[in-house]
Amino acid sequence: MKLAVVGGGSTYTPELIDGFARLRDELPLTEIALVDPDVRRLEPVAGMARRMLARAGHPAGVVATTSVEEGVSGAQAVLLQLRVGGQAARDVDETLPLECGCVGQETTGAGGLAKALRTVPVVLDIAEKIRRHAPDAWIVDFTNPVGIVTRALLEAGHRAIGLCNVAIGFQRRFAAKLGVTPERISLGHVGLNHLTWERAVHLDGVDVLPRLLESHGEEIAQDVGLTAGLLRRLGVVPSYYLRYFYEHDLVVEEQRTKPSRAAEVAAMEATLLEMYADPSVDTKPELLEKRGGAFYSEAAVALIASLLGDRGDTQVVNLRNDGTLPFLADDAVIEVPARITATGAAALPVDPVEPLFAGLVAHVTAYETLALEAALHGGEERVSDALLAHPLIGQASLSDDLARRLVDANRRHLPWATT
């Protein structure tokens, strides 16, 4: 079984390799192709991957290539985890909006739109190469903004499912607080990528969310950056990305007083790449835990194993709405529990979504529709329209100013903006 990882030169790739090695029975890989245009990153990461697999006694070979065609050819599944523009572009995503009084975050608000503008065309080009060289392969998208990128892939007719680590992270943390194995926990997870709420936490089929909030409310609130009082009043656990909406102005104040996350990650990556280049290092460094993306490898292994093994289990993924949330269009991409088989993902029924949550979901979905239009067709006016539709921006003069700044800052990554 061959798996390709596009963006394989990421410093996070050894976390994936560790998951593949530990869960080899679930996903019996014989070849892992790491694809990345940056050989300075690709070579040390590939070497590290080979040593990790050898230490684990895993038989899979590792191929490193700058060619998407070569890397994906014959693959049964392709993971997308690329970052167009690297940490330098991310730093702009996180700092430029702050100059206009808006939250600076790489997937939310203006920064998320900038990332979508850079990323969607590149991902679609890669997907076309996958269609030609591995037509039966599943595309698993972990590239942010996952909801918008997955929607672009699906609208272009690709066999794609979006994946995020938020749900599996909640499952693992809730299980730890309850002192049970994660397999006994299932979530009432609903919303859009990076805009979700846990409306139920089932332990062996019984909802224990009220008990969790009563016994561990302060800890959970600290995890998501909100108050325990708010969580108890809402009766749900919001994703930590909801803090950008529920405490926007406070977050902006905090962000203005410290370095960007991109600057922190860039420093980590330099150190990690030095470690990966050391031929004596064959286990993932502790520093990698600070890189982010906890439990992504487990989520990726589980999803691919279910798609290729027709397991029919339940996992939280990003997929077409198709009536699951009746207040959204069918082509919207939502993040909910779904049954995973060889034919893909089928959303499980979802209880009616309360107006407090449904209103924000509908609002952000409208923004994502316009963001995808801007990413596909370009134009500063389309960028401004998307920003105007975003609940964290929504003012005409601000949207116009941000659109101009975003286009100027990303011009080298936007072919339509260079003419």
Side-chain angles (χ1 to χ4, degrees):
M1 181 185 298
K2 178 180 177 179
L3 170 75
V5 182
V6 179
S10 167
T11 56
Y12 188 75
T13 295
E15 182 69 40
L16 268 180
I17 299 298
D18 181 68
F20 297 153
R22 287 186 292 105
L23 302 169
R24 59 188 293 179
D25 292 338
E26 294 185 52
L27 196 61
L29 297 174
T30 56
E31 181 180 341
I32 301 170
L34 302 181
V35 184
D36 203 290
D38 189 344
V39 294
R40 294 172 299 177
R41 300 170 65 94
L42 182 60
E43 290 178 356
V45 170
M48 178 70 174
R50 294 186 185 105
R51 295 191 300 273
M52 291 177 69
L53 291 173
R55 177 185 175 90
H58 196 292
V62 175
V63 174
T65 178
T66 59
S67 167
V68 173
E69 293 88 346
E70 177 187 350
V72 305
S73 181
Q76 282 76 54
V78 180
L79 278 172
L80 302 183
Q81 58 169 34
L82 55 136
R83 182 185 294 280
V84 179
Q87 296 299 331
R90 176 181 179 174
D91 187 70
V92 175
D93 295 344
E94 294 176 339
T95 56
L96 187 152
L98 289 174
E99 298 173 7
C100 300
C102 297
V103 68
Q105 212 280 327
E106 64 161 337
T107 65
T108 303
L113 175 58
K115 188 167 191 181
L117 296 175
R118 297 191 304 269
T119 304
V120 166
V122 174
V123 166
L124 289 179
D125 179 66
I126 291 168
E128 286 302 321
K129 293 174 181 176
I130 296 169
R131 199 199 305 264
R132 291 196 297 271
H133 296 275
D136 296 325
W138 280 102
I139 298 175
V140 175
D141 177 59
F142 194 66
T143 296
N144 281 317
V146 167
I148 296 173
V149 173
T150 301
R151 183 168 176 177
L153 287 166
L154 292 174
E155 290 190 0
H158 297 290
R159 286 161 53 89
I161 298 178
L163 183 64
C164 182
N165 66 326
V166 167
I168 192 172
F170 274 132
Q171 181 205 36
R172 299 305 172 85
R173 286 193 288 272
F174 293 155
K177 294 182 191 304
L178 293 167
V180 301
T181 60
E183 294 73 23
R184 295 174 62 188
I185 298 294
S186 62
L187 302 175
H189 184 101
V190 68
L192 311 175
N193 179 245
H194 290 184
L195 194 85
T196 52
W197 298 263
E198 309 304 332
R199 296 190 297 166
V201 177
H202 291 108
L203 170 59
D204 299 332
V206 177
D207 186 9
V208 296
L209 179 56
R211 189 174 106 199
L212 266 173
L213 290 176
E214 183 62 33
S215 303
H216 301 279
E218 294 292 343
E219 303 162 41
I220 296 171
Q222 187 172 7
D223 288 343
V224 299
L226 297 168
T227 67
L230 177 62
L231 268 58
R232 292 190 181 106
R233 178 163 67 85
L234 297 178
V236 301
V237 178
S239 157
Y240 40 88
Y241 288 93
L242 264 297
R243 186 169 190 258
Y244 300 120
F245 294 83
Y246 292 163
E247 295 286 1
H248 176 274
D249 292 353
L250 178 60
V251 171
V252 169
E253 289 180 18
E254 293 173 352
Q255 290 180 332
R256 283 173 164 165
T257 64
K258 59 184 181 182
S260 70
R261 174 65 176 164
E264 295 175 352
V265 171
M268 286 183 212
E269 287 193 329
T271 302
L272 285 169
L273 287 171
E274 288 181 7
M275 293 178 175
Y276 298 163
D278 184 342
S280 68
V281 177
D282 58 5
T283 58
K284 64 177 184 178
E286 290 185 10
L287 178 61
L288 190 54
E289 294 180 8
K290 299 179 181 179
R291 173 66 178 80
F295 308 117
Y296 163 42
S297 60
E298 286 92 334
V301 168
L303 178 55
I304 296 169
S306 293
L307 289 169
L308 301 183
D310 197 30
R311 297 198 307 189
D313 57 349
T314 298
Q315 299 177 38
V316 174
V317 296
N318 286 259
L319 75 171
R320 266 178 63 99
N321 179 43
D322 283 334
T324 304
L325 302 183
F327 57 92
L328 298 181
D330 285 346
D331 60 356
V333 166
I334 61 174
E335 186 172 289
V336 296
R339 185 170 182 264
I340 311 297
T341 67
T343 60
L348 300 180
V350 173
D351 290 338
V353 179
E354 298 84 345
L356 183 59
F357 314 133
L360 189 52
V361 168
H363 199 159
V364 174
T365 298
Y367 149 75
E368 291 190 344
T369 299
L370 294 169
L372 182 55
E373 284 294 306
L376 291 174
H377 304 295
E380 189 173 307
E381 189 171 292
R382 288 191 180 94
V383 176
S384 182
D385 286 348
L387 292 167
L388 188 59
H390 200 292
L392 296 184
I393 302 161
Q395 300 177 63
S397 58
L398 178 58
S399 299
D400 288 344
D401 185 26
L402 268 171
R404 177 182 54 78
R405 291 169 179 252
L406 291 182
V407 172
D408 284 346
N410 289 278
R411 202 172 291 278
R412 63 186 291 260
H413 300 293
L414 307 176
W416 53 266
T418 59
T419 57

